Amino acid sequence: MSNLSTRAEQLAAFDRLLTIMDELRAQCPWDQKQTTESLRHLTIEETFELSDAILEGNPDEIKKELGDILLHIVFYAKIGSEEGNFDIATLTNSLCEKLIRRHPHIYGDTQANDAETVSQNWEKIKLKEKGNKSVLGGVPKSLPALIKAMRIQEKARGVGFDWEEKHQVWEKVEEEMQEFKEEFNASDAREIDQEKATAEFGDLLFSLINYARFIDINPEEALERTNLKFIKRFQYLESAAQKSGKNLADMTLAEMDVFWNEAKKL
């Protein structure tokens, strides 16, 4: 832990970053040109790069990507100050005040002895602050569907609308699976009603996400780990086929399965 900084060193480093940001905005043609709109897609990209680093469990990459996101925050604050809207101090103080308001069990007289109660209090306070007519009003419309489903379920739970036991959620999963199977049996040669199938499949996915939440599995992370596992195995398949002088497009599925099973053993 000897490589960690003191509070004074942390403040000095942040002051240095603010100074560099001022200099870049004043002197660099690229930095001068940027707006909140032009930075938006870059910020999204940096966030996904941080996500990759976290899933890979690489502390050095996490540090690097967090630095990039911090740069973006300071950049937005600099633009905000130029436009007279906010600066890094008003932004940070606003955040501090929000954290104090939403932790009344620390800064007030509210009792909350477990994470679940803290989460419920947070959602109730947030709903009151934002003045949303719906508990779900704070869920961003542009969130990816899987993450949006998680947030919808979490917010509903925050006001007590949720299953009581995990076995109830699993029964719902089985119910949705059975409905889907009965309606769209794989062995049935009938033409599938795509609109209805899409709706039923959505119900099934939503119930699976719900169950994952109940057993503390992040479904987004779980699916991404499976994606990465598939990519690694498929790239092994491609490499093994190439080394054996074969082209995947010319191989049978049985031939590819040989290499695939090798990949699974690695």
Side-chain angles (χ1 to χ4, degrees):
M1 300 292 285
S2 58
N3 63 333
L4 298 183
S5 308
T6 64
R7 176 59 64 89
E9 290 170 332
Q10 292 169 3
L11 293 173
F14 194 68
D15 181 66
R16 182 187 181 200
L17 173 60
L18 295 178
T19 299
I20 292 173
M21 186 73 256
D22 289 343
E23 293 169 347
L24 293 178
R25 190 67 171 168
Q27 302 174 39
C28 175
W30 187 89
D31 289 278
Q32 289 175 337
K33 185 180 178 182
Q34 300 313 306
T35 65
T36 53
E37 290 77 15
S38 69
L39 288 173
R40 176 181 171 275
H41 75 280
L42 297 175
T43 307
I44 294 171
E45 181 180 337
E46 294 294 354
T47 304
F48 279 108
E49 289 180 358
L50 172 62
S51 175
D52 288 345
I54 292 172
L55 287 176
E56 291 166 4
N58 188 326
D60 289 336
E61 282 299 306
I62 292 174
K63 178 183 71 173
K64 172 179 170 292
E65 299 303 340
L66 282 172
D68 290 341
I69 289 178
L70 178 58
L71 168 61
H72 280 239
I73 293 171
V74 170
F75 211 148
Y76 286 120
K78 178 63 177 175
I79 295 172
S81 68
E82 293 169 352
E83 297 174 346
N85 297 323
F86 56 85
D87 61 19
I88 195 66
T90 56
L91 182 158
T92 304
N93 282 325
S94 177
L95 171 60
C96 290
E97 293 301 323
K98 181 172 72 173
L99 289 173
I100 290 170
R101 286 195 310 273
R102 296 190 185 179
H103 289 80
H105 55 291
I106 303 296
Y107 302 102
D109 54 10
T110 300
Q111 294 294 317
N113 298 318
D114 57 78
E116 179 65 25
T117 304
V118 172
S119 180
Q120 290 179 358
N121 287 341
W122 178 284
E123 291 297 341
K124 290 175 183 176
I125 296 169
K126 184 176 180 180
L127 182 64
K128 185 176 179 180
E129 286 177 354
K130 288 181 173 285
N132 291 331
K133 294 181 179 179
S134 169
V135 171
L136 306 180
V139 179
K141 295 178 181 178
S142 58
L143 272 180
L146 195 151
I147 299 175
K148 185 186 290 185
M150 291 168 53
R151 293 299 294 136
I152 287 171
Q153 293 168 6
E154 289 168 353
K155 285 185 175 294
R157 181 176 181 81
V159 293
F161 186 77
D162 201 5
W163 302 93
E164 294 180 352
E165 303 290 341
K166 67 179 181 180
H167 73 83
Q168 297 172 311
V169 191
W170 183 248
E171 287 169 3
K172 184 62 176 175
V173 171
E174 292 183 318
E175 176 189 325
E176 296 292 352
M177 175 65 81
Q178 187 61 33
E179 287 181 7
F180 189 83
K181 182 179 179 181
E182 289 175 357
E183 192 72 31
F184 311 105
N185 195 309
S187 62
D188 196 326
R190 290 180 302 168
E191 185 175 347
I192 288 177
D193 181 332
Q194 289 295 331
E195 185 173 345
K196 189 173 183 181
T198 299
E200 293 290 350
F201 191 71
D203 291 344
L204 175 57
L205 283 178
F206 194 84
S207 63
L208 279 169
I209 292 168
N210 221 351
Y211 187 72
R213 180 174 57 83
F214 253 78
I215 58 175
D216 295 323
I217 291 176
N218 184 313
E220 166 69 19
E221 180 180 335
L223 181 58
E224 181 58 13
R225 288 186 182 276
T226 296
N227 289 339
L228 294 174
K229 180 170 62 177
F230 183 90
I231 289 170
K232 184 177 292 186
R233 290 176 179 177
F234 192 82
Q235 288 176 340
Y236 175 88
L237 166 61
E238 290 176 313
S239 176
Q242 186 177 28
K243 288 178 181 178
S244 65
K246 297 179 180 180
N247 188 318
L248 285 185
D250 300 325
M251 295 173 63
T252 65
L253 183 58
E255 290 174 324
M256 287 190 280
D257 274 343
V258 172
F259 295 131
W260 182 262
N261 289 327
E262 288 179 5
K264 288 170 67 175
K265 294 176 182 178
L266 295 178

